[in-house]
Short mmCIF file of all heavy atoms in Angstrom, two decimals:
data_model
loop_
_atom_site.label_atom_id
_atom_site.label_comp_id
_atom_site.label_asym_id
_atom_site.label_seq_id
_atom_site.Cartn_x
_atom_site.Cartn_y
_atom_site.Cartn_z
N ILE A 1 1.60 -2.14 18.41
CA ILE A 1 0.26 -2.27 17.84
C ILE A 1 0.04 -1.19 16.78
O ILE A 1 -0.45 -1.51 15.67
CB ILE A 1 -0.86 -2.13 18.93
CG1 ILE A 1 -0.85 -3.36 19.89
CG2 ILE A 1 -2.26 -1.98 18.33
CD1 ILE A 1 -1.19 -4.63 19.30
N VAL A 2 0.50 0.00 17.00
CA VAL A 2 0.41 1.07 16.02
C VAL A 2 1.34 0.68 14.83
O VAL A 2 0.90 0.87 13.66
CB VAL A 2 0.87 2.46 16.66
CG1 VAL A 2 1.06 3.53 15.62
CG2 VAL A 2 -0.16 2.86 17.75
N ALA A 3 2.50 0.23 15.07
CA ALA A 3 3.36 -0.11 13.98
C ALA A 3 2.77 -1.27 13.05
O ALA A 3 2.86 -1.22 11.82
CB ALA A 3 4.72 -0.56 14.50
N MET A 4 2.16 -2.26 13.74
CA MET A 4 1.49 -3.34 12.96
C MET A 4 0.31 -2.75 12.18
O MET A 4 0.05 -3.16 11.09
CB MET A 4 1.01 -4.43 13.92
CG MET A 4 2.17 -5.27 14.40
SD MET A 4 1.76 -6.74 15.42
CE MET A 4 0.15 -6.64 15.94
N GLY A 5 -0.43 -1.84 12.81
CA GLY A 5 -1.55 -1.15 12.08
C GLY A 5 -1.01 -0.39 10.83
O GLY A 5 -1.66 -0.46 9.81
N ILE A 6 0.04 0.34 10.95
CA ILE A 6 0.60 1.06 9.86
C ILE A 6 1.12 0.04 8.77
O ILE A 6 0.92 0.27 7.53
CB ILE A 6 1.77 1.99 10.32
CG1 ILE A 6 1.19 3.10 11.18
CG2 ILE A 6 2.55 2.51 9.13
CD1 ILE A 6 2.18 3.95 11.80
N GLN A 7 1.74 -1.03 9.17
CA GLN A 7 2.24 -2.03 8.29
C GLN A 7 1.03 -2.67 7.52
O GLN A 7 1.07 -2.86 6.32
CB GLN A 7 3.02 -3.13 9.00
CG GLN A 7 3.69 -4.04 8.02
CD GLN A 7 4.55 -5.07 8.81
OE1 GLN A 7 4.47 -5.26 10.00
NE2 GLN A 7 5.46 -5.73 8.04
N LEU A 8 -0.04 -2.99 8.20
CA LEU A 8 -1.25 -3.55 7.56
C LEU A 8 -1.89 -2.59 6.63
O LEU A 8 -2.28 -2.91 5.48
CB LEU A 8 -2.28 -3.99 8.61
CG LEU A 8 -3.48 -4.72 8.18
CD1 LEU A 8 -3.17 -6.00 7.49
CD2 LEU A 8 -4.43 -4.91 9.32
N LEU A 9 -1.95 -1.27 7.02
CA LEU A 9 -2.51 -0.26 6.16
C LEU A 9 -1.63 -0.15 4.90
O LEU A 9 -2.18 0.04 3.82
CB LEU A 9 -2.52 1.11 6.92
CG LEU A 9 -3.15 2.26 6.15
CD1 LEU A 9 -4.64 2.06 5.90
CD2 LEU A 9 -2.89 3.59 7.00
N THR A 10 -0.35 -0.13 5.09
CA THR A 10 0.58 -0.08 3.96
C THR A 10 0.27 -1.26 2.94
O THR A 10 0.24 -1.07 1.70
CB THR A 10 2.06 -0.09 4.41
OG1 THR A 10 2.23 1.11 5.17
CG2 THR A 10 2.98 -0.03 3.22
N LYS A 11 0.23 -2.44 3.60
CA LYS A 11 0.02 -3.62 2.76
C LYS A 11 -1.30 -3.62 1.95
O LYS A 11 -1.39 -3.96 0.83
CB LYS A 11 0.11 -4.87 3.58
CG LYS A 11 0.18 -6.19 2.87
CD LYS A 11 1.58 -6.31 2.26
CE LYS A 11 1.68 -7.72 1.70
NZ LYS A 11 2.86 -7.79 0.87
N LEU A 12 -2.37 -3.19 2.64
CA LEU A 12 -3.71 -3.26 2.01
C LEU A 12 -4.10 -2.00 1.23
O LEU A 12 -4.86 -2.15 0.32
CB LEU A 12 -4.76 -3.49 3.11
CG LEU A 12 -4.68 -4.78 3.93
CD1 LEU A 12 -5.70 -4.84 5.03
CD2 LEU A 12 -4.76 -5.94 3.00
N LEU A 13 -3.49 -0.95 1.44
CA LEU A 13 -3.94 0.30 0.79
C LEU A 13 -2.86 0.96 -0.02
O LEU A 13 -3.04 1.17 -1.25
CB LEU A 13 -4.46 1.32 1.83
CG LEU A 13 -4.98 2.61 1.27
CD1 LEU A 13 -6.16 2.41 0.32
CD2 LEU A 13 -5.27 3.61 2.42
N ILE A 14 -1.67 1.19 0.60
CA ILE A 14 -0.69 1.93 -0.11
C ILE A 14 0.01 1.17 -1.21
O ILE A 14 0.19 1.61 -2.31
CB ILE A 14 0.34 2.54 0.89
CG1 ILE A 14 -0.41 3.51 1.85
CG2 ILE A 14 1.50 3.21 0.21
CD1 ILE A 14 0.42 3.99 2.94
N GLU A 15 0.34 -0.08 -0.95
CA GLU A 15 1.01 -0.92 -2.00
C GLU A 15 0.14 -1.13 -3.25
O GLU A 15 0.64 -0.96 -4.38
CB GLU A 15 1.38 -2.30 -1.42
CG GLU A 15 2.67 -2.18 -0.62
CD GLU A 15 3.08 -3.55 -0.01
OE1 GLU A 15 2.60 -4.60 -0.49
OE2 GLU A 15 3.98 -3.56 0.85
N PRO A 16 -1.17 -1.40 -3.09
CA PRO A 16 -1.98 -1.47 -4.32
C PRO A 16 -2.07 -0.14 -5.10
O PRO A 16 -2.05 -0.11 -6.35
CB PRO A 16 -3.38 -1.90 -3.80
CG PRO A 16 -3.11 -2.53 -2.53
CD PRO A 16 -1.96 -1.84 -1.94
N ILE A 17 -2.08 0.97 -4.37
CA ILE A 17 -2.09 2.24 -5.02
C ILE A 17 -0.79 2.53 -5.81
O ILE A 17 -0.79 2.93 -6.95
CB ILE A 17 -2.39 3.43 -4.08
CG1 ILE A 17 -3.84 3.28 -3.55
CG2 ILE A 17 -2.14 4.78 -4.68
CD1 ILE A 17 -4.20 4.24 -2.42
N VAL A 18 0.35 2.14 -5.15
CA VAL A 18 1.64 2.27 -5.81
C VAL A 18 1.70 1.37 -7.04
O VAL A 18 2.16 1.80 -8.08
CB VAL A 18 2.78 1.99 -4.76
CG1 VAL A 18 4.08 1.85 -5.50
CG2 VAL A 18 2.85 3.06 -3.69
N GLN A 19 1.26 0.23 -6.91
CA GLN A 19 1.17 -0.77 -8.02
C GLN A 19 0.38 -0.22 -9.18
O GLN A 19 0.72 -0.23 -10.29
CB GLN A 19 0.65 -2.09 -7.57
CG GLN A 19 0.63 -3.16 -8.67
CD GLN A 19 -0.09 -4.47 -8.17
OE1 GLN A 19 -0.62 -4.49 -7.08
NE2 GLN A 19 0.00 -5.45 -9.07
N PHE A 20 -0.83 0.35 -8.81
CA PHE A 20 -1.74 0.96 -9.78
C PHE A 20 -0.99 2.05 -10.52
O PHE A 20 -0.98 2.08 -11.79
CB PHE A 20 -2.92 1.51 -9.01
CG PHE A 20 -3.99 2.13 -9.85
CD1 PHE A 20 -5.03 1.35 -10.35
CD2 PHE A 20 -3.96 3.46 -10.09
CE1 PHE A 20 -6.02 1.88 -11.06
CE2 PHE A 20 -5.01 4.06 -10.88
CZ PHE A 20 -6.03 3.28 -11.36
N ILE A 21 -0.33 2.93 -9.81
CA ILE A 21 0.34 4.09 -10.43
C ILE A 21 1.55 3.56 -11.30
O ILE A 21 1.75 4.11 -12.46
CB ILE A 21 0.88 5.07 -9.31
CG1 ILE A 21 -0.37 5.75 -8.71
CG2 ILE A 21 1.82 6.12 -9.88
CD1 ILE A 21 -0.05 6.50 -7.48
N GLU A 22 2.27 2.65 -10.82
CA GLU A 22 3.45 2.13 -11.61
C GLU A 22 2.96 1.49 -12.93
O GLU A 22 3.58 1.71 -13.97
CB GLU A 22 4.23 1.11 -10.75
CG GLU A 22 5.09 1.76 -9.66
CD GLU A 22 5.78 0.76 -8.78
OE1 GLU A 22 5.43 -0.47 -8.91
OE2 GLU A 22 6.61 1.21 -7.92
N THR A 23 1.89 0.73 -12.86
CA THR A 23 1.40 0.14 -14.07
C THR A 23 0.91 1.21 -15.05
O THR A 23 1.16 1.04 -16.28
CB THR A 23 0.09 -0.77 -13.77
OG1 THR A 23 0.54 -1.69 -12.77
CG2 THR A 23 -0.42 -1.44 -14.96
N ILE A 24 0.35 2.29 -14.65
CA ILE A 24 -0.10 3.35 -15.54
C ILE A 24 1.08 4.04 -16.18
O ILE A 24 1.14 4.35 -17.31
CB ILE A 24 -0.97 4.33 -14.74
CG1 ILE A 24 -2.27 3.68 -14.42
CG2 ILE A 24 -1.18 5.59 -15.64
CD1 ILE A 24 -3.16 4.58 -13.49
N ASN A 25 2.16 4.22 -15.32
CA ASN A 25 3.35 4.98 -15.78
C ASN A 25 4.22 4.19 -16.70
O ASN A 25 5.09 4.80 -17.38
CB ASN A 25 4.14 5.47 -14.60
CG ASN A 25 3.41 6.57 -13.93
OD1 ASN A 25 2.65 7.36 -14.55
ND2 ASN A 25 3.63 6.74 -12.62
#
């Protein structure tokens, strides 16, 4: 359950932030 939560958090929050930063750079 914790692993799925981390995976969901990564998909919804961290990946868009990484995409945002990569686009800027």
Side-chain angles (χ1 to χ4, degrees):
I1 294 295
V2 169
M4 287 184 348
I6 290 172
Q7 188 176 17
L8 184 64
L9 181 67
T10 299
K11 190 75 171 165
L12 295 178
L13 179 64
I14 296 173
E15 283 182 11
I17 291 172
V18 168
Q19 180 186 9
F20 183 88
I21 292 168
E22 286 174 352
T23 304
I24 293 171
N25 288 331

